Amino acid sequence: MTDSKYFTTTKKGLTSYYMLIDKMNVSLTQDCEDPNPLIRALAVRTMGCIRVDKITEYLCEPLRKCLKDEDPYVRKTAAVCVAKLHDINAQLVEDQGFLDTLKDLISDSNPMVVANAVAALSEIAESHPNSNLLDLNPQTINKLLTALNECTEWGQIFILDCLANYTPRDDRESQSICERVTPRLSHANSAVVLSAVKVLMKFMEMLPKDLDYYGTLLKKLAPPLVTLLSAEPELQYVALRNINLIVQRSCNIKVFIVLAELKEYATEVDVDFVRKAVRAIGRCAIKVEQSAERCVSTLLDLIQTKVNYVVQEAIVVIKDIFRKYPNKYESVIATLCENLDSLDEPEARAAMIWIVGEYAERIDNADELLESFLEGFHDESTQVQLQLLTAIVKLFLKKPTETQELVQQVLSLATQDSDNPDLRDRGYIYWRLLSTDPVAAKEVVLAEKPLISEETDLIEPTLLEELICHIGTLASVYHKPPSAFVEGSRGVQHKRLPGSAGSGESVESPDTGSAAGASDAPPAVIPSQGDLLGDLLNLDLTPPATTGPPPPATSGLQLGAMDLLGGGLDSLVCSSRSLAERTGQVLKHSLVCLLALMSLGLNDGTFLSFLAFFFFKFVLLSFFGLAPAGPLQVLTPLSPNQSIEVALPLSTVGPVMKMDPLNNLQVTPTLHGR
Amino acid sequence: MIGGLFIYNHKGEVLISRVYRDDIGRNAVDAFRVNVIHARQQVRSPVTNIARTSFFHVKRSNIWLAAVTKQNVNAAMVFEFLYKMCDVMTAYFGKISEENIKNNFVLIYELLDEILDFGYPQNSETGALKTFITQQGIKGQHQTKEEQSQITSQVTGQIGWRREGIKYRRNELFLDVLESVNLLMSPQGQVLSAHVSGRVVMKSYLSGMPECKFGMNDKIVIDKQGKGGASDDAGKSDLGGGSGKQSIAIDDCTFHQCVRLSKFDSERSISFIPPDGEYELMRYRTTKDIILPFRVIPLVREVGRTKLEVKVVIKSNFKPSLLAQKIEVRIPTPLNTSGVQVICMKGKAKYKASENAIVWKIKRMAGMKESQISAEIELLPTNDKKKWARPPISMNFEVPFAPSGLKVRYLKVFESKLNYSDHDVIKWVRYIGRSGIYETRC
């Protein structure tokens, strides 16, 4: 492209530059009148590429002529040229009325002209989100659908992508569009297929689910997607990323086919591989309800093999299945209990103990089973110990008369003989609960647990909905909304599926646009409490490796602290309303976390205070625009069982960062000095 | 839309750089080289986002083609376009190599101008492009007005893939049914997964603008005709094929853009005006009733800690008159193998230490035969507790029939303007079944 900067350095250059432009203009304008249509088109195309104001002024007249040229090749080139001109000078295009001419081209007799006009209009419409440029009405839609059958593969993509922005008025209209789009599913060009899938997925939302046609359409969607996977590797990649989205939207995969293969895998020799296979079976069961029964019977078959690691993995998985479908598959417990002795891995033991505790009332010898575990209490890993403690308390609450001794034994083991603070804490809590108010204890310990769902790789529903509207595009490959990687106003438009958005119009929210620009990461994964505490606990292992606080590492520490509690703080921010309230809450909670850090068995008090200080500073700065006005003064290292009060002067600086609301998360660390 | 297109050689030097949009800066060329071509760790994703600019790349031998954009473009379209670009270049100057690209760089720029306008792909069918992208300049040729408008109407028209006025003395067409059969079998002989992905490749040398109709033994069509009860005259012109199944269930198929898709959707008939020369008419996928050309029966016995006995029997499962070719069986061996003794009845077998496998090759094998290999593998004692994972035995072969059972029933050619009829066209049909991933666990 010509860049005027290169010419304007000297006066001489300037003169020759204008002479050149004039010459070019003359010859290009002449060429626009050439009898050969190829040359006319070439001239108009070239003029669109020269981004100089002077040229663009000259361009208007020839362009207007070319848009109405008798030759379709010239018209289709001119249509794209309008988009080019709009990119250079939007106002000029509007003033000259090119947009109306472009709209007329949608009704052109030549399919390729229609396709290019649609492409140009779609691009222009993107930068004017509110203007009604592409006013799609049934008549234009009809014209587009006719052109769809006739134009090139690329034109079909433009038209399909444009159709996806249309919202049909009723289910009959959307059905008729779907019927005319379905043939595209067998096109060799996978982009055409994916765009057709996008249109169908969107319009299907409008159809009543009990309609026969809905079912047939669903059936038609699956095979082309599978076929995409035998395309070239790069396309496979795009297809897989998209299938990931589509599957999450409409879960009806044929699990049993996969199951036979997974079962086969599970009898392999490679231990790690087998574990993964068994896990996968469990995930199938949790994800697809209809398949759960088959999965459980497969798992039971696997348990019958008595291969140690298979059995253990299967038990871990079955525990999850119990959580997902309570009171459904408990008949298998007996089989599980038979294998109790062969379990030697902590995770499997913990899972088994959980099952015994949870279903204590149905297992006659639950107390015996748990007692057998209790014998080697001190040799168990923390995971098993904690689970055992809970299970025995559950058992006690269910069968209070027979198990009193057992419960006392476990409580004393946990509170008196154990070094582990977690275990002691939990022991104490149970103890107090049981001694003060057994009814409350029952409510707490035997509370109904929320059903678990397939947790990994899940995308937040609203984001998923938006991504479904972008099937086949970059957004669907990145699994991010377009606003996260596109600059400027283009493509930031938020798209919604028609069924759920009610009115169906694309809702523009300027606030999210700018906020999303600030925070690239989509709020998709919600860390669970376990993770958070786990991270907290991990921290007591990491710092000793970097003894002393080297100054360059501080930024890393800040980030680390943010990661640790990012999720928790978000929820706090959105759960409270006023700033004062918010400040109070966050301060309280960050203090709690701070103390948690300090109580984590590190004797290096100075290091911790450093860490705490940076963490504090970061939290305050980022959420409230507050900054500490002075350093945190901790004079003496913090010793166990000692508390100190520290005053930290604060001042407001910088902007307050806004965060999108996240789901609530409960952070309730219990603290004890050591 | 596509903001720019770059072509690099294996060193990362830019051979072609065409920028369509202003938002793509001059540093984009270098960004891709530094972050992808010269990346320390091989970049595995074909889509890379560097500083809010997205790069799509494909590699042909040691040439990199990269499309750049800053917008939310249709990713599938960009890749399809890059493949198309490769096809067009191959059609113009043969193999895509650094030398060929350097020698034809004017042509490539001309092509890029034509098939990509402001980042929007335009007509990219070689048949049409060759009529006016000739590198001779448009003005130089003294075309009549009719010729010119013929070119433009063809480029923008409904049949952009074929030009008018093609003439052959001998009207001929070649049909190749190419299939690759994939299998995963348990040691007990249970089929865990099997599918065939096939392609129908057509080479047509036909005069004028012929209308073609392609018929195969698709279950849906055959059933429909059976119900109608009408005697099917099309069935008579059967072009012959492999072994005998009446009809097959096709899971899914896709067609070249010349096929009228709406007609296929409503009537399931495949009608089209073919491009000239070679192209891929359709792709299909089947999973039901697949003829598995070979059965592999493995027997692995561990004799103590340092010895392994392997016996593998392969059985061919097709008509005795047919011959399978290029058979290769690959039997994996443990990592701590110290020595191998092989005895085989047919072909040649060799232990390849570098590949950790015994490779057994047989040149030819007729149907309904059986062959056997036995090997004794000596192992070095290790204190590695992890047992050998026993990877599956894989197989390669080529058979002269379609494992899916697909048969071409007819390919009718109608050309109303020129006086040649369907019978005058010489038709050739060939079936080739190859192994895809053909594995048996042991």
XYZ file of all heavy atoms in Angstrom, chain A residues 1 36 51 71 73 76 84 110 116 119 123 153-154 161 184 186 188-190 195 223-224 227 232 234-235 237 264-265 268 470 472-475 478 484 490, chain B residues 20-22 45 49 52 54 71-77 80 83-84 114 117 120 122-124 138-139 148 152 156 192 252-255 257 261 285 387 441:
641
model
N 0.819 -1.196 0.000
C 0.000 0.000 0.000
C 0.859 1.253 0.000
O 1.899 1.293 0.618
C -0.863 -0.016 1.248
C -1.825 -1.156 1.185
S -3.267 -0.773 2.093
C -4.186 -2.247 1.754
N -13.090 -3.340 -21.962
C -12.860 -4.667 -21.391
C -13.277 -4.677 -19.915
O -12.723 -3.947 -19.101
C -11.375 -5.012 -21.519
C -11.102 -6.455 -21.132
O -11.847 -7.050 -20.363
N -10.025 -7.000 -21.683
N -4.663 4.437 -0.466
C -5.312 5.085 0.671
C -4.868 6.545 0.769
O -4.228 6.937 1.721
C -4.990 4.326 1.939
C -5.313 2.856 1.827
C -4.893 2.149 3.065
N -5.666 2.628 4.195
C -6.778 2.077 4.601
N -7.257 1.046 3.968
N -7.415 2.557 5.633
N -21.609 -5.528 -16.445
C -20.890 -6.783 -16.275
C -20.843 -7.183 -14.792
O -20.445 -6.389 -13.949
C -19.465 -6.634 -16.805
C -18.823 -7.980 -17.001
O -18.481 -8.624 -15.988
O -18.687 -8.400 -18.162
N -18.834 -9.101 -13.222
C -17.485 -9.134 -12.662
C -17.090 -7.761 -12.122
O -16.466 -7.654 -11.067
C -16.497 -9.584 -13.749
C -15.094 -9.791 -13.262
C -14.744 -10.957 -12.580
C -14.117 -8.827 -13.460
C -13.453 -11.144 -12.133
C -12.827 -9.016 -13.008
C -12.496 -10.180 -12.347
O -11.224 -10.366 -11.895
N -19.204 -7.084 -8.871
C -18.772 -7.783 -7.654
C -17.474 -7.161 -7.108
O -17.270 -7.094 -5.899
C -18.631 -9.291 -7.898
C -17.452 -9.715 -8.738
C -16.457 -10.545 -7.949
C -15.232 -10.821 -8.812
N -14.040 -11.145 -8.110
N -13.845 -1.170 1.130
C -12.508 -0.577 1.235
C -12.612 0.908 1.501
O -11.931 1.462 2.368
C -11.744 -0.776 -0.075
C -11.292 -2.183 -0.342
C -10.537 -2.202 -1.674
C -10.343 -3.608 -2.170
N -9.881 -3.646 -3.559
N -26.901 -11.814 -10.249
C -25.713 -12.673 -10.220
C -25.381 -13.075 -8.777
O -25.241 -12.218 -7.910
C -24.538 -11.912 -10.830
C -23.320 -12.794 -10.971
O -22.755 -13.214 -9.970
N -22.931 -13.089 -12.191
N -20.763 -10.952 -2.491
C -19.806 -9.910 -2.134
C -20.495 -8.719 -1.487
O -19.944 -8.118 -0.558
C -19.039 -9.454 -3.380
C -17.834 -10.322 -3.647
O -17.599 -11.280 -2.917
N -17.083 -10.008 -4.669
N -21.079 -9.628 2.032
C -19.838 -9.573 2.801
C -19.482 -8.132 3.144
O -19.135 -7.814 4.285
C -18.710 -10.225 2.018
N -19.484 -6.325 6.948
C -18.312 -5.702 7.552
C -18.613 -4.261 7.965
O -18.238 -3.828 9.049
C -17.139 -5.727 6.579
C -15.911 -5.159 7.245
C -14.661 -5.328 6.417
O -14.616 -6.198 5.558
O -13.714 -4.565 6.672
N -18.175 -21.408 -3.261
C -18.108 -21.884 -1.887
C -17.867 -20.729 -0.913
O -18.423 -20.694 0.182
C -17.026 -22.953 -1.737
C -15.729 -22.596 -2.454
C -14.790 -23.787 -2.569
O -14.842 -24.662 -1.704
O -13.995 -23.832 -3.523
N -17.035 -19.759 -1.310
C -16.732 -18.642 -0.419
C -17.967 -17.775 -0.222
O -18.252 -17.349 0.896
C -15.582 -17.810 -0.965
C -14.440 -18.646 -1.456
C -13.993 -18.758 -2.725
C -13.616 -19.524 -0.669
N -12.946 -19.633 -2.792
C -12.690 -20.124 -1.551
C -13.591 -19.874 0.676
C -11.737 -21.042 -1.114
C -12.641 -20.781 1.099
C -11.733 -21.354 0.215
N -22.819 -16.904 7.123
C -22.413 -16.132 8.298
C -23.352 -14.967 8.529
O -23.633 -14.589 9.668
C -20.976 -15.625 8.131
C -19.969 -16.726 8.386
O -20.391 -17.785 8.895
O -18.774 -16.553 8.084
N -26.460 -27.838 2.728
C -25.066 -27.357 2.794
C -24.192 -28.247 3.668
O -22.965 -28.167 3.619
C -24.980 -25.940 3.336
C -25.676 -24.888 2.519
C -25.057 -24.731 1.183
N -26.076 -24.943 0.164
C -25.833 -25.270 -1.088
N -24.607 -25.402 -1.488
N -26.806 -25.467 -1.937
N -23.593 -31.182 3.397
C -22.768 -32.141 2.666
C -21.862 -31.451 1.642
O -21.517 -32.029 0.630
C -23.628 -33.224 2.012
O -24.846 -32.711 1.580
N -18.253 -30.048 0.382
C -16.886 -30.510 0.626
C -16.083 -29.501 1.434
O -15.150 -29.858 2.142
C -16.186 -30.774 -0.703
N -16.452 -28.222 1.331
C -15.710 -27.187 2.044
C -16.169 -27.166 3.502
O -17.329 -26.882 3.795
C -15.994 -25.843 1.373
C -15.115 -24.740 1.899
O -14.885 -24.655 3.107
N -14.623 -23.903 1.016
N -15.261 -27.455 4.412
C -15.691 -27.610 5.805
C -16.123 -26.288 6.417
O -16.870 -26.273 7.382
C -14.597 -28.257 6.635
O -13.363 -27.722 6.311
N -20.352 -23.246 9.027
C -21.244 -22.094 9.042
C -22.703 -22.543 8.997
O -23.556 -21.953 9.656
C -20.941 -21.176 7.872
O -19.678 -20.592 8.053
N -23.509 -36.460 11.941
C -22.552 -37.079 11.016
C -21.581 -36.098 10.332
O -20.388 -36.406 10.261
C -23.445 -37.777 9.991
C -24.756 -37.910 10.633
C -24.892 -36.803 11.607
N -22.054 -34.933 9.865
C -21.081 -34.032 9.212
C -19.961 -33.601 10.152
O -18.808 -33.454 9.722
C -21.917 -32.820 8.809
C -23.308 -33.268 8.818
C -23.400 -34.360 9.796
N -17.464 -36.262 10.233
C -16.724 -36.287 8.966
C -15.628 -35.225 8.944
O -14.558 -35.456 8.392
C -17.682 -36.057 7.785
O -18.736 -36.992 7.883
C -16.972 -36.247 6.473
N -8.142 -32.345 6.684
C -6.740 -32.029 6.916
C -6.532 -31.648 8.385
O -7.453 -31.156 9.038
C -6.318 -30.856 6.022
C -6.186 -31.202 4.562
C -7.518 -31.198 3.828
O -8.559 -31.084 4.513
O -7.523 -31.319 2.595
N -5.192 -29.227 10.122
C -5.512 -27.899 10.635
C -7.010 -27.733 10.806
O -7.477 -27.155 11.786
C -4.982 -26.811 9.696
C -3.475 -26.638 9.715
C -2.772 -27.565 8.764
O -3.466 -28.280 8.004
O -1.527 -27.614 8.754
N -7.760 -28.275 9.833
C -9.210 -28.179 9.930
C -9.740 -29.049 11.046
O -10.708 -28.698 11.713
C -9.846 -28.590 8.602
C -9.811 -27.492 7.563
C -10.224 -28.025 6.225
C -10.744 -26.369 7.988
N -8.355 -29.498 13.778
C -8.152 -28.708 14.985
C -9.325 -27.745 15.183
O -9.933 -27.697 16.249
C -6.837 -27.947 14.864
C -6.528 -26.996 15.990
C -6.024 -27.471 17.194
C -6.739 -25.635 15.856
C -5.743 -26.605 18.216
C -6.458 -24.759 16.871
C -5.960 -25.248 18.062
O -5.678 -24.385 19.075
N -12.102 -52.035 27.288
C -10.962 -52.762 26.734
C -9.651 -52.143 27.218
O -8.731 -52.832 27.643
C -11.067 -52.725 25.210
C -10.050 -53.551 24.493
C -10.194 -55.023 24.799
O -11.338 -55.498 24.990
O -9.165 -55.679 24.865
N -9.620 -50.825 27.172
C -8.424 -50.127 27.633
C -8.137 -50.461 29.093
O -6.995 -50.567 29.508
C -8.616 -48.605 27.533
C -8.615 -48.066 26.137
C -9.263 -46.875 25.846
C -7.963 -48.739 25.120
C -9.276 -46.367 24.558
C -7.978 -48.239 23.830
C -8.636 -47.054 23.550
O -8.651 -46.566 22.281
N -5.749 -53.131 30.081
C -4.382 -53.031 29.576
C -3.366 -53.256 30.693
O -3.727 -53.370 31.867
C -4.157 -51.627 29.012
C -4.799 -51.414 27.679
C -3.913 -51.910 26.569
O -2.777 -51.458 26.497
O -4.370 -52.760 25.802
N -20.716 -17.940 17.317
C -19.493 -17.678 16.568
C -18.859 -18.967 16.068
O -17.646 -19.027 15.870
C -18.487 -16.934 17.447
C -18.857 -15.514 17.726
N -18.882 -14.570 16.761
C -19.234 -14.895 18.865
C -19.251 -13.413 17.284
N -19.474 -13.596 18.566
N -17.140 -21.730 14.101
C -16.327 -21.666 12.891
C -15.356 -20.504 12.880
O -14.409 -20.499 12.126
N -15.581 -19.516 13.734
C -14.696 -18.352 13.707
C -13.570 -18.513 14.718
O -13.510 -19.494 15.455
C -15.463 -17.070 14.042
O -15.892 -17.163 15.397
C -16.659 -16.886 13.150
N -12.706 -17.514 14.742
C -11.578 -17.535 15.674
C -12.049 -17.639 17.114
O -11.429 -18.312 17.928
C -10.778 -16.244 15.514
C -9.526 -16.305 14.675
C -8.848 -14.969 14.710
C -8.580 -17.368 15.207
N -13.135 -16.949 17.432
C -13.625 -16.966 18.808
C -13.874 -18.392 19.268
O -13.566 -18.751 20.404
C -14.905 -16.143 18.914
N -10.465 -20.066 19.960
C -9.829 -19.644 21.209
C -10.705 -19.932 22.428
O -10.236 -19.855 23.556
C -9.565 -18.141 21.177
C -8.493 -17.698 20.208
C -8.611 -16.493 19.534
C -7.373 -18.468 19.982
C -7.643 -16.061 18.648
C -6.401 -18.050 19.094
C -6.537 -16.854 18.431
O -5.581 -16.441 17.565
N -12.239 -10.252 23.410
C -10.996 -10.527 24.123
C -9.774 -10.437 23.216
O -8.660 -10.329 23.703
C -11.066 -11.902 24.768
N -14.899 -3.191 16.202
C -15.277 -4.285 15.327
C -15.474 -5.582 16.079
O -14.624 -6.004 16.836
C -14.200 -4.511 14.285
C -14.577 -3.837 13.007
C -13.576 -4.158 11.975
N -13.732 -3.250 10.863
C -12.756 -2.899 10.073
N -11.551 -3.351 10.299
N -12.968 -2.109 9.068
N -3.414 -6.936 2.839
C -4.663 -6.424 2.294
C -5.248 -5.307 3.141
O -6.058 -4.531 2.687
C -5.703 -7.538 2.183
C -5.326 -8.586 1.176
C -4.661 -9.750 1.559
C -5.619 -8.404 -0.159
C -4.308 -10.697 0.626
C -5.278 -9.343 -1.096
C -4.618 -10.488 -0.702
O -4.263 -11.428 -1.626
N -4.888 -5.301 4.410
C -5.563 -4.353 5.295
C -4.562 -3.579 6.121
O -3.506 -4.087 6.484
C -6.516 -5.102 6.213
C -7.584 -5.764 5.402
C -8.742 -6.156 6.231
N -9.800 -6.588 5.334
C -11.071 -6.387 5.538
N -11.449 -5.764 6.633
N -11.963 -6.801 4.687
N -4.975 -2.375 6.486
C -4.080 -1.472 7.179
C -3.766 -1.890 8.607
O -2.759 -1.496 9.160
C -4.705 -0.071 7.207
C -4.100 0.787 6.131
O -3.381 0.216 5.295
O -4.334 1.995 6.143
N -0.133 -25.698 17.670
C -1.441 -25.222 17.247
C -1.318 -24.491 15.911
O -0.410 -23.693 15.724
C -1.992 -24.277 18.303
O -2.917 -23.407 17.715
N -1.895 -16.700 18.389
C -2.243 -15.312 18.632
C -1.033 -14.605 19.210
O -0.579 -14.940 20.299
C -3.432 -15.247 19.600
C -4.054 -13.881 19.608
O -3.427 -12.893 19.211
N -5.294 -13.809 20.055
N -2.372 -9.837 19.900
C -3.710 -9.544 19.370
C -3.820 -9.719 17.859
O -4.770 -9.278 17.241
C -4.170 -8.140 19.756
C -4.203 -7.944 21.258
C -5.103 -6.825 21.643
N -5.854 -7.198 22.827
C -7.136 -6.923 23.002
N -7.805 -6.321 22.083
N -7.739 -7.262 24.108
N -3.834 -12.633 14.929
C -3.929 -14.079 14.798
C -3.272 -14.547 13.514
O -3.468 -13.952 12.465
C -5.390 -14.512 14.807
O -5.979 -14.156 16.016
N -9.104 -9.652 13.092
C -10.535 -9.710 13.364
C -10.969 -11.118 13.708
O -10.206 -12.055 13.632
C -11.307 -9.220 12.138
C -11.040 -7.777 11.857
C -11.558 -7.375 10.510
O -12.368 -8.060 9.914
N -11.073 -6.266 10.022
N -12.230 -11.216 14.057
C -12.789 -12.516 14.384
C -13.261 -13.179 13.098
O -14.435 -13.203 12.782
C -13.953 -12.327 15.352
C -14.550 -13.635 15.762
O -13.871 -14.662 15.760
N -15.817 -13.620 16.091
N -12.319 -13.735 12.332
C -12.674 -14.279 11.029
C -13.174 -15.707 11.173
O -13.065 -16.326 12.224
C -11.464 -14.297 10.073
C -11.027 -12.906 9.768
C -10.351 -15.125 10.650
N -13.710 -16.209 10.092
C -14.132 -17.594 10.036
C -12.881 -18.463 9.864
O -12.282 -18.508 8.792
C -15.086 -17.751 8.857
C -15.765 -19.076 8.846
O -15.165 -20.078 9.246
N -17.000 -19.102 8.413
N -12.487 -19.150 10.926
C -11.204 -19.862 10.932
C -11.194 -21.004 9.921
O -10.198 -21.227 9.227
C -10.925 -20.398 12.327
N -12.311 -21.710 9.849
C -12.375 -22.819 8.902
C -12.188 -22.300 7.482
O -11.518 -22.919 6.667
C -13.710 -23.532 9.036
N -12.768 -21.121 7.220
C -12.659 -20.562 5.878
C -11.207 -20.228 5.553
O -10.740 -20.474 4.439
C -13.518 -19.314 5.760
C -13.550 -18.757 4.366
S -14.267 -17.123 4.312
C -12.899 -16.130 4.831
N -9.401 -23.424 4.721
C -9.852 -23.902 3.419
C -9.221 -23.052 2.314
O -8.811 -23.568 1.282
C -11.378 -23.830 3.308
C -12.108 -24.929 4.063
C -12.054 -26.271 3.355
O -11.460 -26.342 2.275
O -12.602 -27.250 3.901
N -5.560 -24.009 1.777
C -5.433 -25.243 0.989
C -5.690 -24.955 -0.475
O -5.019 -25.454 -1.374
C -6.442 -26.301 1.447
C -6.302 -26.728 2.868
C -7.415 -26.988 3.643
C -5.051 -26.892 3.460
C -7.302 -27.374 4.960
C -4.938 -27.280 4.771
C -6.064 -27.516 5.519
O -5.952 -27.896 6.819
N -6.729 -24.133 -0.709
C -7.108 -23.807 -2.080
C -5.959 -23.089 -2.772
O -5.627 -23.367 -3.912
C -8.344 -22.916 -2.045
C -9.083 -22.882 -3.323
C -9.736 -24.220 -3.501
C -10.411 -24.391 -4.811
N -11.405 -25.467 -4.685
N -6.296 -11.631 -7.458
C -7.554 -12.055 -8.041
C -8.393 -12.872 -7.067
O -9.589 -12.630 -6.922
C -7.273 -12.875 -9.312
C -8.504 -13.316 -10.067
C -9.446 -12.164 -10.371
O -8.957 -11.095 -10.781
O -10.675 -12.329 -10.189
N -9.797 -10.530 -2.533
C -10.013 -9.103 -2.711
C -10.334 -8.499 -1.351
O -11.362 -8.837 -0.754
C -11.164 -8.877 -3.698
C -11.248 -7.426 -4.142
O -10.391 -6.626 -3.711
O -12.160 -7.098 -4.928
N -11.316 -10.949 1.131
C -12.457 -11.825 0.875
C -12.111 -12.780 -0.253
O -11.816 -12.325 -1.359
C -13.688 -11.016 0.473
C -14.286 -10.226 1.601
C -14.139 -8.860 1.684
C -15.001 -10.876 2.604
C -14.681 -8.141 2.728
C -15.544 -10.167 3.647
C -15.387 -8.801 3.717
O -15.931 -8.115 4.751
N -12.356 -14.874 -3.451
C -13.213 -14.809 -4.631
C -13.098 -16.138 -5.363
O -12.567 -17.093 -4.806
C -12.780 -13.636 -5.520
C -12.746 -12.298 -4.814
C -14.141 -11.810 -4.416
O -15.050 -11.797 -5.228
N -14.302 -11.428 -3.168
N -13.559 -16.174 -6.587
C -13.509 -17.431 -7.324
C -12.076 -17.979 -7.387
O -11.158 -17.293 -7.800
C -14.025 -17.213 -8.739
C -14.307 -18.523 -9.433
O -13.637 -19.518 -9.171
N -15.290 -18.538 -10.284
N -11.910 -19.215 -6.949
C -10.557 -19.765 -6.886
C -10.459 -21.071 -7.661
O -9.618 -21.907 -7.372
C -10.164 -19.975 -5.425
O -11.191 -20.661 -4.750
N -3.624 -8.260 -19.855
C -4.932 -8.392 -20.476
C -4.993 -7.601 -21.781
O -5.574 -8.015 -22.761
C -6.022 -7.895 -19.517
C -5.914 -8.676 -18.220
C -7.394 -8.068 -20.109
C -6.686 -8.103 -17.091
N -4.329 -6.441 -21.774
C -4.443 -5.564 -22.947
C -3.784 -6.187 -24.169
O -4.183 -5.939 -25.286
C -3.807 -4.207 -22.645
C -4.834 -3.274 -22.024
C -4.319 -1.866 -21.994
C -5.421 -0.907 -21.592
N -4.946 0.404 -21.215
N -14.503 -11.643 -23.906
C -14.314 -11.002 -22.605
C -15.518 -11.223 -21.697
O -15.386 -11.605 -20.536
C -14.096 -9.505 -22.804
C -12.744 -9.185 -23.369
C -12.709 -7.795 -23.968
O -13.698 -7.063 -23.929
N -11.576 -7.435 -24.517
N -15.897 -13.133 -17.925
C -16.429 -12.576 -16.680
C -17.671 -13.305 -16.233
O -17.866 -13.539 -15.048
C -16.747 -11.090 -16.845
O -17.665 -10.937 -17.917
C -15.503 -10.285 -17.088
N -17.963 -15.249 -12.553
C -18.945 -14.871 -11.539
C -20.169 -15.763 -11.572
O -21.004 -15.697 -10.696
C -19.414 -13.433 -11.774
O -19.961 -13.350 -13.087
C -18.281 -12.453 -11.636
N -13.439 -53.367 18.083
C -13.705 -52.279 19.022
C -14.158 -51.034 18.274
O -15.046 -50.331 18.714
C -12.454 -51.980 19.836
C -12.019 -53.139 20.720
C -10.686 -52.838 21.355
C -13.052 -53.409 21.790
N -22.230 -40.613 6.206
C -22.226 -39.208 5.838
C -21.389 -39.024 4.587
O -20.455 -39.779 4.345
C -21.613 -38.395 6.977
C -21.711 -36.911 6.697
O -22.783 -36.491 6.256
O -20.722 -36.194 6.897
N -21.735 -38.060 3.767
C -20.890 -37.781 2.616
C -20.860 -36.288 2.316
O -21.788 -35.557 2.648
C -21.333 -38.572 1.390
S -23.085 -38.562 1.125
N -19.775 -35.860 1.711
C -19.658 -34.462 1.296
C -19.273 -34.439 -0.180
O -18.660 -35.384 -0.677
C -18.570 -33.730 2.087
O -17.332 -34.398 1.877
C -18.880 -33.690 3.557
N -19.647 -33.337 -0.840
C -19.451 -33.294 -2.287
C -18.648 -32.090 -2.718
O -18.631 -31.059 -2.049
C -20.806 -33.262 -2.982
C -21.623 -34.486 -2.754
C -22.630 -34.491 -1.809
C -21.353 -35.635 -3.458
C -23.373 -35.630 -1.586
C -22.091 -36.773 -3.236
C -23.108 -36.774 -2.296
N -18.033 -28.814 -4.954
C -19.047 -27.779 -5.095
C -19.829 -27.836 -6.399
O -20.845 -27.173 -6.535
C -18.440 -26.393 -4.892
C -17.407 -25.986 -5.898
C -17.168 -24.481 -5.812
O -18.057 -23.724 -5.515
N -15.931 -24.071 -6.056
N -26.433 -29.722 -4.370
C -26.689 -30.263 -3.033
C -28.178 -30.339 -2.719
O -28.639 -31.274 -2.079
C -25.984 -29.406 -1.980
C -24.463 -29.463 -2.015
C -23.888 -28.541 -0.961
C -23.972 -30.872 -1.780
N -18.143 -41.699 4.479
C -17.691 -42.387 5.677
C -18.714 -43.452 5.994
O -19.918 -43.189 6.000
C -17.612 -41.369 6.817
C -16.918 -41.789 8.057
C -16.676 -40.563 8.921
N -17.893 -39.808 9.096
C -18.844 -40.120 9.971
N -18.695 -41.157 10.746
N -19.933 -39.377 10.071
N 5.349 -52.969 33.819
C 5.348 -54.008 32.804
C 5.301 -53.385 31.417
O 4.933 -52.233 31.251
C 4.149 -54.918 33.008
C 4.408 -56.005 34.043
C 3.112 -56.621 34.470
C 2.783 -57.842 33.634
N 1.481 -58.395 34.038
N -4.888 -55.438 19.093
C -4.177 -55.479 20.381
C -3.649 -56.878 20.643
O -4.225 -57.853 20.183
C -5.127 -55.085 21.513
C -5.624 -53.703 21.366
C -6.449 -53.305 22.561
N -6.876 -51.943 22.376
C -6.094 -50.900 22.619
N -4.879 -51.078 23.086
N -6.532 -49.687 22.412
